[in-house]
Amino acid sequence: MSGPGAGTPRIRADREVCIGAGLCVMTAEDVFDQDDDGLVVLLEPDPPPAARERVRQAVRNCPSGALSLVEE
Ligand code: SF4
Protein backbone atom coordinates (compact mmCIF):
# COMPACT_ATOMS: atom_id res chain seq x y z
CA MET A 1 0.00 0.00 0.00
CA SER A 2 1.39 3.34 -0.95
CA GLY A 3 -0.38 6.69 -0.97
CA PRO A 4 0.33 9.60 -3.27
CA GLY A 5 3.85 10.87 -2.90
CA ALA A 6 5.00 7.76 -1.08
CA GLY A 7 7.39 6.65 -3.80
CA THR A 8 9.83 8.68 -5.79
CA PRO A 9 8.19 9.62 -9.07
CA ARG A 10 9.96 9.00 -12.34
CA ILE A 11 10.26 11.88 -14.76
CA ARG A 12 9.18 11.77 -18.36
CA ALA A 13 10.43 14.43 -20.75
CA ASP A 14 8.89 14.64 -24.20
CA ARG A 15 11.44 16.20 -26.52
CA GLU A 16 8.83 16.44 -29.28
CA VAL A 17 6.90 18.87 -27.10
CA CYS A 18 9.75 20.77 -25.46
CA ILE A 19 10.22 24.30 -26.78
CA GLY A 20 13.64 24.77 -25.21
CA ALA A 21 12.66 27.41 -22.70
CA GLY A 22 15.23 26.07 -20.26
CA LEU A 23 13.22 26.73 -17.14
CA CYS A 24 13.61 23.15 -15.99
CA VAL A 25 17.40 23.42 -16.18
CA MET A 26 17.34 26.59 -14.13
CA THR A 27 15.15 24.94 -11.53
CA ALA A 28 16.95 21.59 -11.26
CA GLU A 29 20.23 21.60 -13.14
CA ASP A 30 21.25 18.29 -11.61
CA VAL A 31 18.25 16.60 -13.20
CA PHE A 32 17.75 18.41 -16.51
CA ASP A 33 20.08 19.63 -19.22
CA GLN A 34 19.63 21.00 -22.71
CA ASP A 35 21.24 19.76 -25.90
CA ASP A 36 22.73 21.94 -28.63
CA ASP A 37 19.24 22.60 -29.99
CA GLY A 38 18.03 23.68 -26.57
CA LEU A 39 15.84 20.64 -26.10
CA VAL A 40 15.56 19.05 -22.72
CA VAL A 41 17.87 16.17 -21.83
CA LEU A 42 16.98 14.07 -18.85
CA LEU A 43 20.07 13.51 -16.74
CA GLU A 44 18.32 11.77 -13.90
CA PRO A 45 15.00 10.01 -14.65
CA ASP A 46 14.93 8.74 -11.06
CA PRO A 47 15.72 11.85 -9.07
CA PRO A 48 16.99 11.45 -5.52
CA PRO A 49 14.54 12.41 -2.77
CA ALA A 50 16.49 15.60 -2.10
CA ALA A 51 15.69 16.85 -5.62
CA ARG A 52 12.05 15.85 -5.57
CA GLU A 53 10.56 19.21 -4.69
CA ARG A 54 12.63 21.04 -7.29
CA VAL A 55 11.62 18.47 -9.88
CA ARG A 56 7.94 18.98 -9.09
CA GLN A 57 8.46 22.71 -9.42
CA ALA A 58 10.18 22.27 -12.79
CA VAL A 59 7.34 20.09 -14.05
CA ARG A 60 4.77 22.66 -12.92
CA ASN A 61 6.66 25.54 -14.50
CA CYS A 62 7.43 23.97 -17.86
CA PRO A 63 5.59 26.21 -20.34
CA SER A 64 5.11 23.53 -22.98
CA GLY A 65 3.90 20.68 -20.80
CA ALA A 66 6.77 18.49 -21.98
CA LEU A 67 7.53 17.25 -18.50
CA SER A 68 5.46 14.86 -16.47
CA LEU A 69 5.86 12.75 -13.38
CA VAL A 70 4.97 9.10 -13.24
CA GLU A 71 4.10 8.07 -9.72
CA GLU A 72 4.90 4.44 -9.10
S1 SF4 B 1 11.04 23.84 -19.18
FE1 SF4 B 1 9.89 22.51 -20.58
S2 SF4 B 1 9.99 23.56 -22.55
FE2 SF4 B 1 11.59 24.42 -21.25
S3 SF4 B 1 13.44 23.22 -21.73
FE3 SF4 B 1 12.46 22.28 -19.96
S4 SF4 B 1 11.14 20.68 -20.86
FE4 SF4 B 1 11.67 22.09 -22.49
Side-chain angles (χ1 to χ4, degrees):
M1 195 167 66
S2 65
T8 303
R10 286 180 60 87
I11 309 169
R12 209 156 28 197
D14 189 342
R15 287 166 48 87
E16 307 268 307
V17 175
C18 173
I19 56 170
L23 278 176
C24 54
V25 182
M26 282 185 262
T27 306
E29 63 182 2
D30 48 344
V31 177
F32 303 103
D33 200 356
Q34 284 172 284
D35 67 11
D36 290 342
D37 295 323
L39 296 181
V40 66
V41 176
L42 204 47
L43 299 176
E44 191 59 85
D46 292 303
R52 204 180 300 171
E53 197 41 51
R54 283 182 293 124
V55 166
R56 286 189 190 282
Q57 199 181 332
V59 171
R60 274 199 303 269
N61 290 344
C62 172
S64 70
L67 302 178
S68 55
L69 291 178
V70 185
E71 307 277 353
E72 296 186 326

